[in-house]
Amino acid sequence: MTSKYLVPRSKTLNQLKQVHSYLLKTLTKPHDQYHYYAQFLIRLLQLPGDNLSYARQVFDQIPKCKTQFLWTSLIRNHVLHAHFRQSILLYAKMHRLGVLTSGFTFSSVLNACARVPSLLEAVICGYTKIGLMDDAQRLFDSMAERNVISWSAMVAGYANCGNMKAAKEFYDRMTEKNSVTWVAMIAGYGKCGEVREAKKVFDEISEPDASCWAAMTVCYVQNGYAKAAIEMYKVMREENVRISEVAMVGAISACTQLGDVEMAAILAKHVDEGCCDRTNYVSNALTHMHSKCGYLDLAWREFGRIKNKDVISYSSMITAFADHGKSQEALDMFLKMRNEGIEPNQVTFIGVLSACSHGGLVEDGCKQFELMTRVFGIKPLTEHLTCMVDLLGRSGQLEKAYNLIMDYKDFCDAGTWGALLGACKVHVNAELGEIAARHLLELEPEKTGNSALLAHIYASMGKWKDSEIVKMMISETEKKKSPGCSWISS
């Protein structure tokens, strides 16, 4: 008699265990094992009593089970036997594996959550953190009583997803708000570029805590309001608000944007005085700030203070060397980083390729670009391509630079074509210069500088007629521009 008939005819747990022993000896093909273990599990769950420990052992022998019915049956039985937390954990695992749920699955989960209210809040928070807002909404709607935790989770979830309309609806309905809610709204508006709305939320808080101040500072920085971020930091200091690492990095980033040397020294002094923890997050930002303010030695000193250097630490220092014309030092740092077993990212390679471009290291640049795309599988950004086109263009390899652009045409912007046009001017290549200029005219029709470069190329080759035609085009474009005006009173 085959196992196909043995499983359904088993009436007791002992009989099923005998069948299980038989299956282990006779089933060798993975497909057969999957089929019969599934059949076995269904029968086991139908038996009276709590056999869930045994059921889980059998279930775990089914590799990457995708059968919705099995998952739902197991979850339902956990709920029936009051194993509520385990049922929730199974449901979460089901989601991670991408198994579609059904109304029956969700009904069992809701039943478990209703028995343990804190579990329901935890599940809602979990859903909102990974962006499963439909599931979070369904759980939220099923709650008989809601508190500030569940409300805040929904606000934060929608804000993180960029759905500020939904976040605002929940926010307005809340009778009690806390810092989690306020930070979520400020950060959400910041990501969407709605700085005024973020400031409106901040101004409504009677006593904002350190996290609210930090969120508003970061909101300013993200949207280019560097001076406002610095002013926010100064007010925090005046009002003795605790400076968190988030607030400090926000202020440092703002200072970096402004290139404010004086403020950079003040911020570095505050960190030295211990106003916040000197975490990797803070030190990496300081390294970048010192470099952008022109102090490579201070950047190097800060980098040396970092005990557990990560990819951001190394990328910041590589970029610092590249920006200061220390091409070989940048490449040596990259080699050290790889020897430490730290995998580079897109930002790392921007620094590396920039170093090669500044140093005219054509062979190294080509090798690093190939390493990035083929070994690490990183898709090039416009910054990578612009560096490569600039590097190849400076060395006179215009055809190679043009071919690279054609290979990654969808990733190229005005900066990339501008690098090619500039190289065409230096090496007097009207044919490619004209192609580059035409692409630039499509991307930046209002900028006449590109056309002026093309006119210069034509003139340097003695193509006076072509040069005059381009100059006439420039003249026509200038006439179409609105006349300038001054708001300075005479």
Side-chain angles (χ1 to χ4, degrees), residues 146-391:
R146 300 159 186 146
N147 59 20
V148 68
I149 297 173
S150 50
W151 279 100
S152 296
M154 293 303 295
V155 170
Y158 278 119
N160 287 336
C161 292
N163 188 347
M164 291 310 297
K165 183 180 178 183
K168 181 74 162 57
E169 288 174 0
F170 273 90
Y171 180 79
D172 289 341
R173 287 164 59 193
M174 291 179 71
T175 55
E176 179 189 355
K177 299 179 178 74
N178 60 16
S179 63
V180 175
T181 324
W182 293 317
V183 168
M185 289 298 289
I186 293 168
Y189 279 130
K191 288 177 183 176
C192 296
E194 298 182 44
V195 179
R196 285 186 180 180
E197 292 299 322
K199 186 62 166 60
K200 191 184 294 184
V201 172
F202 181 82
D203 290 340
E204 289 171 356
I205 308 169
S206 56
E207 294 183 9
D209 64 8
S211 60
C212 296
W213 283 92
M216 196 63 230
T217 304
V218 172
C219 173
Y220 279 136
V221 175
Q222 285 177 336
N223 291 280
Y225 293 86
K227 288 184 179 179
I230 293 295
E231 289 305 313
M232 178 71 69
Y233 175 80
K234 288 178 179 178
V235 174
M236 289 177 72
R237 295 277 298 184
E238 289 169 5
E239 298 192 9
N240 294 317
V241 178
R242 181 179 62 84
I243 305 294
S244 65
E245 65 169 351
V246 175
M248 177 53 76
V249 170
I252 292 170
S253 299
C255 187
T256 305
Q257 288 180 19
L258 295 169
D260 189 334
V261 176
E262 186 179 341
M263 192 64 200
I266 292 170
L267 293 173
K269 183 183 177 185
H270 288 171
V271 175
D272 288 338
E273 291 171 348
C275 78
C276 72
D277 293 334
R278 202 183 205 104
T279 61
N280 272 28
Y281 189 42
V282 173
S283 283
N284 291 338
L286 281 172
T287 301
H288 187 54
M289 179 190 74
H290 285 314
S291 171
K292 289 297 181 183
C293 289
Y295 294 104
L296 183 61
D297 56 333
L298 294 180
W300 176 247
R301 188 176 71 179
E302 188 63 39
F303 177 78
R305 283 175 169 171
I306 305 171
K307 292 181 180 178
N308 300 309
K309 298 176 177 66
D310 55 18
V311 64
I312 301 172
S313 310
Y314 275 103
S315 298
S316 298
M317 201 60 231
I318 289 168
T319 302
F321 279 132
D323 289 345
H324 288 263
K326 305 285 186 179
S327 300
Q328 192 55 55
E329 286 85 343
L331 293 181
D332 290 343
M333 182 61 66
F334 179 61
L335 181 61
K336 183 181 179 183
M337 172 186 173
R338 292 191 62 198
N339 289 337
E340 291 288 331
I342 298 173
E343 189 168 312
N345 59 21
Q346 288 178 320
V347 177
T348 316
F349 277 106
I350 290 173
V352 170
L353 294 176
S354 178
C356 293
S357 178
H358 291 327
L361 306 174
V362 180
E363 188 177 341
D364 285 318
C366 291
K367 283 181 181 177
Q368 300 299 350
F369 187 80
E370 191 167 325
L371 180 73
M372 179 185 80
T373 54
R374 296 192 179 183
V375 177
F376 290 102
I378 297 174
K379 290 184 178 179
L381 301 173
T382 54
E383 292 90 341
H384 300 122
L385 295 168
T386 302
C387 283
M388 286 302 297
V389 170
D390 184 60
L391 176 63

Side-chain angles (χ1 to χ4, degrees), residues 57 78 87 91 106 192 223 291 378 444 451 462 477:
Q57 290 178 22
H78 274 81
S87 68
Y91 183 63
F106 207 75
C192 296
N223 291 280
S291 171
I378 297 174
E444 300 175 331
S451 299
T477 305

Side-chain angles (χ1 to χ4, degrees), residues 432-469:
L432 282 180
E434 186 173 13
I435 293 171
R438 290 194 182 282
H439 279 93
L440 282 166
L441 287 172
E442 289 178 12
L443 294 167
E444 300 175 331
E446 75 287 352
K447 290 191 177 181
T448 56
N450 300 319
S451 299
L453 267 179
L454 181 59
H456 179 86
I457 293 171
Y458 281 141
S460 63
M461 294 183 71
K463 295 186 176 182
W464 305 110
K465 188 175 180 181
D466 291 330
S467 180
E468 284 302 318
I469 291 172

